Amino acid sequence: MSAQYRLDKLQFSSLLPNRTNVRNSSDTITVSGTLANDTTQNYATTVPLSSSTNFIDVYAYNDSFKVKLVSSATISDIFDYKSDEFVQNSVVMSDTSVTVTITVNNNTGASVTLNSQVFTIEAVEYVLPL
Amino acid sequence: MSQADHISDIAFSTAFLTDKTCGLLSGSFPGADTTLLAPGDFMYQYIIPHSFTRPVQCDTWISTDGGESFDGLGAITYSDSSNLYVNVLDNTKDYVYKVVCTWIDDYDATNPLVPIMLSGGAGASFDTRFNYQKILVNDVISMTSSSGLTHVPYLGDGSLHNYNVYFESLPGQVWPIINGGAEDQWLNDPVHQWEVDLALSASEIELIASGGSSAADSFRVWYKIYHES
């Protein structure tokens, strides 16, 4: 029979594989330029990861707000829209890096000059016994 | 000077709460083993039983190339008292997954027994020389779909802190943040399911709730804000 114990209200347990924070790495993505109607533009950055990292949390932030990039929370939540441009992003992690790509699609019926803006992409790197 | 200064320089102290990682799951499943939740829905579901007797919070990365690369947005995992539900959007691919389960203090009054999680294959569970993500503040609030824009203030160091937020999208189910209404591909029960949108500033979390079966019903939102490094 394996041992069991209780977790509620414990401050800390050495019996848990706590999130060992290797380091936080970051880079920026600058969004700017003019998009003709019915065109798409990608803006991307690749953040190197430590060789020991096997799990990360990825955040995006501007001067005012930060969002954790998960399945239903994206950079579109903090994007400074000029018009009705469509914004989405991807987050892909390999053994050595994480790449975040912001895709802006202009299907508004007219050319759009995007609001120039900078996003910092932050990877919080962990080592977990996965 | 407060003893709490220079916290980021401290690798570890039992004075600071840390995430309680109660489950680490990695494995694979073929898309053929998933189930479409409902006709017309987008989500295909793979079920992993757990023994915690109550929901846990889940973070997920998914791969469709055999583990060469992992998509941070390609899957969503929620849990109830019996299972983890890994949801993907395509049943024609083979998946490799990593799911980290975090304990939810005071989810209810049960305080159940859970297995000790020793990482036999990966060395020590804990080493005081390493840095652990320390929690600055965590709490739970109750919201309704008519809550509107809700501001939850916190006292940080003036920077944009990292955070984690999860909520009861349906009674008895703990989900990561989902938002988008009828266009939300991760929403499988739009008649009853709540959604939460959020952004964090240097002094508060802004939460917006939507959906739900009744404006009178409430649901819980848990949040954790971390010390920098």
Side-chain angles (χ1 to χ4, degrees), chain A residues 105-120:
Chain A
N105 174 251
N106 174 23
N107 201 19
T108 63
S111 175
V112 169
T113 299
L114 302 172
N115 287 328
S116 182
Q117 51 201 301
V118 177
F119 298 100
T120 300

Side-chain angles (χ1 to χ4, degrees), chain A residues 4-8 10-11 15 18-19 21 54 56 59 65-68 70-71 89 91 93 126, chain B residues 14-15 18-20 54 59 61 70 72-73 75 98 103 111 114 117 131 133 160 162-164 200:
Chain A
Q4 292 185 307
Y5 73 137
R6 302 186 195 280
L7 289 179
D8 278 18
L10 277 180
Q11 190 82 343
L15 297 174
N18 289 271
R19 288 183 175 222
N21 187 197
N54 66 352
I56 56 175
Y59 297 87
F65 292 103
K66 176 178 273 191
V67 290
K68 182 181 179 184
V70 294
S71 300
N89 64 265
V91 182
M93 175 179 65
Y126 304 109
Chain B
T14 54
T18 57
D19 279 333
K20 297 165 190 168
R54 65 189 201 184
D59 291 311
W61 288 81
F70 283 84
L73 311 182
K98 298 179 184 180
W103 193 249
N111 198 13
V114 297
M117 250 201 89
N131 184 33
Q133 194 170 45
L160 293 167
N162 294 332
Y163 65 89
N164 211 344
L200 177 136

Side-chain angles (χ1 to χ4, degrees), chain B residues 58-77:
Chain B
C58 302
D59 291 311
T60 306
W61 288 81
I62 201 96
S63 173
T64 56
D65 59 8
E68 289 293 316
S69 63
F70 283 84
D71 186 346
L73 311 182
I76 210 166
T77 302

Side-chain angles (χ1 to χ4, degrees), chain A residues 45-118:
Chain A
T45 187
T46 297
V47 179
L49 300 177
S50 165
S51 59
S52 56
T53 297
N54 66 352
F55 204 87
I56 56 175
D57 290 335
V58 182
Y59 297 87
Y61 60 92
N62 55 25
D63 288 341
S64 302
F65 292 103
K66 176 178 273 191
V67 290
K68 182 181 179 184
L69 300 179
V70 294
S71 300
S72 238
T74 66
I75 288 171
S76 63
D77 291 336
I78 56 173
F79 195 85
D80 181 14
Y81 288 86
K82 180 64 172 289
S83 181
D84 289 330
E85 63 266 34
F86 181 67
V87 177
Q88 55 188 159
N89 64 265
S90 65
V91 182
V92 178
M93 175 179 65
S94 70
D95 286 343
T96 57
S97 64
V98 58
T99 299
V100 175
T101 304
I102 303 173
T103 302
V104 183
N105 174 251
N106 174 23
N107 201 19
T108 63
S111 175
V112 169
T113 299
L114 302 172
N115 287 328
S116 182
Q117 51 201 301
V118 177

Side-chain angles (χ1 to χ4, degrees), chain B residues 152-207:
Chain B
V152 182
Y154 72 94
L155 186 59
D157 62 8
S159 66
L160 293 167
H161 287 250
N162 294 332
Y163 65 89
N164 211 344
V165 175
Y166 40 98
F167 75 114
E168 288 177 306
S169 185
L170 285 167
Q173 295 182 357
V174 173
W175 285 63
I177 290 296
I178 56 168
N179 177 55
E183 295 180 356
D184 185 357
Q185 57 196 355
W186 302 109
L187 186 67
N188 69 312
D189 186 0
V191 176
H192 301 99
Q193 202 166 345
W194 283 289
E195 294 182 288
V196 170
D197 194 14
L198 76 83
L200 177 136
S201 73
S203 60
E204 64 183 15
I205 306 173
E206 294 183 357
L207 298 161

